[in-house]
Amino acid sequence: MSTPQDPGRIVVAALYKFVTLDDHEALREPLRQAMLEHDVKGTLLLAREGINGTVSATREGIDALLAWLARDPRLADVDHKESLCDEHPFYRTKVKLKREIVTMGVPDVDPNTQSGTYVDPEQWNDVIADPEVLVIDTRNDYEVAIGSFEGAIDPQTKSFREFPEYVKAHYDPSQHKKVAMFCTGGIRCEKASSFMLNQGFEEVYHLKGGILNYLKQVPEQDSLWHGDCFVFDNRVTVRHDLSEGEYDQCHACRMPISAEDQQADTYEPGVSCPHCFDALPDKTRAAARERQKQIELAKQRGEPHPLGRDPRQMKGE
């Protein structure tokens, strides 16, 4: 794939691969050291089922990390999408060990042995325009609220763990013959496709490389995407050209917030927003105010700082 070439700017790389890594625990420290050596920031997850995460670095740093991964034949063709930003959207370097690289919580779902059919971005419009195809957005509700594909169904899930029960409650393999799914970078919909095949759905498709790859490959004038795409870093959202969007993020609940949200009486930077104001007790709000003070001090000193609570934890993941 082509790579962004803009000296001086930071490259953000979202990468994943479902591949059996029986030695994933032993890979953790060498991978972390490789990231530190090349000043690669962000978080990578390792599990027996593969690798997943988003990182940022200079062009040279990302290339060095990809070269390090490529020395392992299992990771030589790791899927990755890139975009550019002016500064690191991450503050720390982490490699975490997990049971799953994307948490569904369903035993016997293994994309390494069974997954749906990839659809390249250039063919995606034709697939989802077919009236016989059920198009499902596998992301969470706060992500879908920012943008989605034309005609896609919003499952209104709070976390990916809820997706299997949503499918069981709403769809029947004998009636829904063709299913197409998508997500941010391709990993959730690939795992969802494995689950749906296990449930008896016959024709299951998923967008190769996810929304980010589609936005990179498909000209905006031909696009069926509407809105911004939520990303899990300090940029919050990206536009169709993968430039940083206009949304900010509430550091209390991590929800994306628009300029209109920031004008609301319930918005207090780092403390509350229209999405979480009624859900936060006074004790939590007081702690958030103290946290915001520490964030501002860290910014002034140019130090890493916490972004706040994870909405998935607030919403029951």
Side-chain angles (χ1 to χ4, degrees):
M1 63 177 293
S2 62
T3 56
Q5 302 290 335
D6 191 343
R9 299 193 74 191
I10 294 297
V11 179
V12 182
L15 60 89
Y16 85 92
K17 185 180 181 182
F18 284 107
V19 58
T20 301
L21 300 174
D22 290 320
D23 59 342
H24 67 280
E25 294 182 0
L27 289 174
R28 180 184 188 181
E29 189 56 26
L31 176 56
R32 192 179 77 89
Q33 289 301 321
M35 293 171 67
L36 289 171
E37 180 181 349
H38 299 288
D39 195 29
V40 179
K41 301 184 186 298
T43 300
L44 291 177
L45 307 180
L46 289 172
R48 188 180 181 277
E49 69 177 9
I51 186 172
N52 176 36
T54 306
V55 294
S56 62
T58 61
R59 174 76 270 162
E60 292 76 15
I62 293 297
D63 288 345
L65 174 62
L66 294 174
W68 187 91
L69 292 171
R71 290 202 290 268
D72 186 328
R74 298 169 301 177
L75 302 173
D77 57 347
V78 63
D79 180 280
H80 83 288
K81 283 78 58 180
E82 296 183 357
S83 57
L84 296 171
C85 60
D86 293 327
E87 58 185 17
H88 274 289
F90 304 105
Y91 297 108
R92 296 177 176 85
T93 299
K94 299 179 182 179
V95 179
K96 296 182 179 180
L97 299 179
K98 295 288 186 178
R99 289 176 180 245
E100 302 175 72
I101 55 174
V102 57
T103 304
M104 176 179 274
V106 178
D108 303 322
V109 173
D110 184 5
N112 287 312
T113 58
Q114 178 179 241
S115 63
T117 302
Y118 281 125
V119 178
D120 289 327
E122 294 82 0
Q123 282 74 53
W124 182 249
N125 286 359
D126 292 336
V127 171
I128 66 175
D130 184 342
E132 295 185 1
V133 174
L134 181 71
V135 184
I136 306 176
D137 192 330
T138 65
R139 301 172 304 151
N140 299 328
D141 55 359
Y142 60 92
E143 300 170 77
V144 181
I146 301 304
S148 190
F149 280 107
E150 187 176 299
I153 295 170
D154 175 9
Q156 299 183 339
T157 53
K158 306 298 182 184
S159 79
F160 191 50
R161 285 180 175 271
E162 298 178 7
F163 185 79
E165 289 304 316
Y166 166 79
V167 171
K168 292 177 182 178
H170 292 85
Y171 304 116
D172 182 344
S174 66
Q175 297 181 24
H176 303 97
K177 301 294 186 179
K178 300 179 182 180
V179 181
M181 296 177 292
F182 62 92
C183 57
T184 307
I187 184 169
R188 275 179 284 185
C189 52
E190 183 164 346
K191 194 160 192 177
S193 75
S194 181
F195 167 76
M196 296 194 77
L197 288 170
N198 277 349
Q199 294 297 304
F201 292 88
E202 297 178 3
E203 291 188 51
V204 181
Y205 305 92
H206 54 108
L207 177 58
K208 187 174 184 179
I211 300 162
L212 295 178
N213 194 32
Y214 179 92
L215 298 182
K216 182 180 181 65
Q217 303 296 338
V218 177
E220 188 167 1
Q221 63 267 24
D222 300 328
S223 176
L224 295 181
W225 174 263
H226 300 291
D228 280 12
C229 178
F230 185 91
V231 290
F232 294 92
D233 59 56
N234 292 351
R235 295 172 299 169
V236 185
T237 67
V238 293
R239 300 183 179 93
H240 201 290
D241 62 0
L242 296 181
S243 64
E244 184 173 343
E246 296 182 356
Y247 284 84
D248 202 343
Q249 193 164 32
C250 174
H251 294 318
C253 69
R254 298 293 301 275
M255 290 287 283
I257 49 177
S258 65
E260 183 178 355
D261 291 331
Q262 295 175 60
Q263 298 301 315
D265 293 338
T266 53
Y267 174 68
E268 183 178 347
V271 178
S272 66
C273 73
H275 300 287
C276 66
F277 181 79
D278 293 334
L280 297 178
D282 291 340
K283 182 178 180 180
T284 301
R285 196 171 287 118
R289 287 195 179 95
E290 179 58 32
R291 185 186 188 91
Q292 182 63 18
K293 290 180 182 179
Q294 297 304 316
I295 289 174
E296 294 301 328
L297 288 173
K299 285 182 177 179
Q300 293 173 16
R301 295 191 292 261
E303 298 174 349
H305 60 79
L307 286 179
R309 299 169 66 193
D310 191 320
R312 293 168 291 180
Q313 294 174 349
M314 292 186 68
K315 298 184 177 192
E317 175 169 323

